[in-house]
Amino acid sequence: MAVTRGEFQSRVGFILAAAGSAVGLGNIWGFPTQAASNGGAAFLITYLILAFVLAYPALMAELLIGRHTHRNMVQALESLPDARPLKLAGKLTGLAGLLTASLILSFYAIVAGWMLGFSASYPLGAAGLMEASEWLVAFTPSRNLFLMLGFMGLTMAVVLGGVENGIERWSRRLMPLLIATLIALAAYVLTLDGALIGLQAYLLPDLGKVLSGDLLLDALGSAFFSLSLGVGTMLIYGSYLSDQENVPRVGAQVALVDVGIAVLAGFLILPAMYVADARGVAIFSESGGLLSEDTLIFSVLPALFETMNTTGVWLATAFFLLMSIAALTSSISMLEVPVAYLIEQFELSRRRATLLAGVGIALFSALVVLNFDALFGLVITISTRYSQPILGIAVCVFAGWIWHRDALLRELNKNDTNAVNGLFWRIWPFYVKYFCPAIIGIIVIQSIL
Ligand code: PHE
């Protein structure tokens, strides 16, 4: 194959890019309220354990297969086995991953577009441009379409730059900005009245709630979505990783950053909700749980910002920019999955591949916008609830059952000649072979039931 492949230029660049993929809307709008409604610190600890015991091994499966083959998901899984039928299975699994990544992007771009809309709406409103400001936050097909296209345009612009000049460069710029904004916002909100009650809700452990089986499965499901597993994003990023890097170590660092930012987001979201409560904004649903997800982001927090006048405009703009950045560093990793395949399979230029994949996904996303009630929830359910965990099992099966053990050891030996005595080699192959597929299987069956 004549195509020269990109490669991350530094370890930090890789970690920021992969953590950028992992840290997304899921971390900030899902995790904190889930933790608060489900036992606070006890949930947090359970989540941390699950992330490292189950999601980390699955992450390693993708990173190692990617780094070993230096190929996109379709060609990587096709190249692992020797037997023909298995090769076909690998190819089909890869294509299903590619399709799922594209489906996830098609709804993600709509939600991320809303974030862009809110972040522009506040400064425009403050400047007196009321009509534009209101248009950007009103739920209309034309506004949804416009913002989705804007966000897809940004995503395509980054991916067009390639691995070093697009993905790595922008991750290196955006991720530190994201972390700094998150810390600054949390530090400010923590000084406001009511914040400490939020902190208590977040951190005081309620052991009774954590031990329910449902909750464990929920936490595991969100750990998988949060680490971008099953759809080839981590695999393709791993394939751009230099042979000099120690994959188990950088993989652990990526997982740490992802989990760390989810935990950090809790120090912003929960205190903010209770500050809102102290100011008379409703933060509980009728069933008594904390409002979460879209209601939290698009009504509770705006109502809070509303009570703060000019400070509110600054806070709101910073907050929605933070969400937009988190979304962008994730969406580029989703788009890279089909783009890398088109480049490597059909020898297209990156420009053509990006245009083809980007426009195709944007068209489908437009279809979702125009048939919102029928399609939006459906696409999310199919891609994240079913497809993602099932593909997660498939990747573990490829890593644990189909990949030859000695080839795996050779892969680990590339930068660690003592790998055979390491903890990773003693534990991971067993884990990824039996434990991960079994547990993910239980999640899938339970979510189907
Ligand atoms: N991890 C991202 C988030 O938390 C979502 C994602 C899923 C990204 C699958 C890439 C692939 O929002």
Side-chain angles (χ1 to χ4, degrees), residues 112-431:
W114 297 337
M115 302 296 171
L116 284 181
F118 272 81
S119 54
S121 166
Y122 285 89
L124 286 176
L129 299 166
M130 292 322 284
E131 212 173 315
S133 169
E134 277 159 21
W135 185 77
L136 283 170
V137 296
F139 193 93
T140 60
S142 55
R143 164 264 198 179
N144 290 349
L145 207 56
F146 173 81
L147 291 173
M148 177 276 288
L149 290 174
F151 184 80
M152 278 303 290
L154 283 179
T155 305
M156 286 164 70
V158 175
V159 170
L160 208 56
V163 180
E164 299 89 338
N165 292 323
I167 295 173
E168 182 169 2
R169 174 185 291 171
W170 281 98
S171 302
R172 287 190 78 122
R173 288 179 183 161
L174 294 176
M175 287 302 285
L177 188 64
L178 177 141
I179 297 173
T181 313
L182 188 56
I183 293 178
L185 281 173
Y188 176 72
V189 169
L190 280 170
T191 63
L192 303 176
D193 281 347
L196 291 183
I197 307 175
L199 216 51
Q200 265 174 13
Y202 183 38
L203 294 178
L204 283 188
D206 176 355
L207 284 172
K209 284 198 179 145
V210 170
L211 303 174
S212 95
D214 261 12
L215 193 79
L216 284 178
L217 295 173
D218 263 4
L220 192 58
S222 43
F224 266 78
F225 181 76
S226 174
L227 275 174
S228 316
L229 296 177
V231 297
T233 49
M234 288 301 176
L235 196 153
I236 194 68
Y237 276 15
S239 82
Y240 299 138
L241 188 60
S242 138
D243 283 339
Q244 260 70 61
E245 296 297 343
N246 180 318
V247 188
R249 188 174 320 140
V250 291
Q253 286 162 343
V254 169
L256 266 178
V257 176
D258 179 52
V259 170
I261 291 186
V263 172
L264 194 59
F267 286 89
L268 167 63
I269 300 292
L270 269 306
M273 289 187 86
Y274 283 81
V275 171
D277 186 43
R279 293 167 183 237
V281 178
I283 64 166
F284 294 100
S285 66
E286 279 178 9
S287 61
L290 280 171
L291 291 170
S292 64
E293 301 185 354
D294 49 341
T295 333
L296 161 66
I297 303 291
F298 300 122
S299 54
V300 177
L301 294 182
L304 166 66
F305 298 136
E306 198 83 348
T307 64
M308 299 176 157
N309 306 323
T310 322
T311 321
V313 172
W314 284 102
L315 282 184
T317 310
F319 176 77
F320 285 107
L321 275 178
L322 169 82
M323 295 299 272
S324 307
I325 292 173
L328 183 61
T329 53
S330 296
S331 65
I332 55 180
S333 74
M334 298 172 203
L335 184 59
E336 182 63 15
V337 174
V339 167
Y341 172 70
L342 290 174
I343 294 176
E344 290 170 2
Q345 182 77 32
F346 301 105
E347 305 198 10
L348 295 190
S349 65
R350 177 165 281 272
R351 202 184 165 76
R352 286 201 158 182
T354 309
L355 270 176
L356 199 64
V359 171
I361 293 169
L363 282 176
F364 182 76
S365 189
L367 196 72
V368 176
V369 167
L370 298 175
N371 300 278
F372 194 85
D373 291 338
L375 291 182
F376 185 70
L378 187 69
V379 171
I380 297 182
T381 308
I382 292 177
S383 59
T384 64
R385 229 182 134 104
Y386 298 109
S387 190
Q388 225 187 344
I390 292 174
L391 285 164
I393 299 181
V395 172
C396 290
V397 167
F398 270 89
W401 294 86
I402 294 173
W403 197 3
H404 294 294
R405 261 176 83 87
D406 38 347
L408 166 62
L409 187 59
R410 254 183 283 129
E411 179 58 33
L412 291 173
N413 275 336
K414 278 182 182 167
N415 44 65
D416 178 8
T417 44
N418 196 27
V420 74
N421 292 317
L423 203 58
F424 187 80
W425 175 252
R426 271 183 269 156
I427 296 177
W428 184 78
F430 170 81
Y431 243 91

Side-chain angles (χ1 to χ4, degrees), residues 33-99:
T33 41
Q34 226 187 351
S37 305
N38 294 304
F43 178 88
L44 210 77
I45 293 164
T46 319
Y47 179 83
L48 290 182
I49 295 174
L50 289 178
F52 279 90
V53 170
L54 279 164
Y56 169 71
L59 169 69
M60 288 310 304
E62 280 203 37
L63 289 178
L64 280 169
I65 292 176
R67 218 276 297 266
H68 175 69
T69 56
H70 288 300
R71 289 273 173 276
N72 60 81
M73 185 174 182
V74 181
Q75 294 176 334
L77 294 185
E78 194 181 6
S79 72
L80 278 188
D82 301 322
R84 278 245 168 137
L86 287 179
K87 279 188 177 298
L88 182 65
K91 185 174 179 164
L92 292 177
T93 306
L95 286 171
L98 187 155
L99 202 67

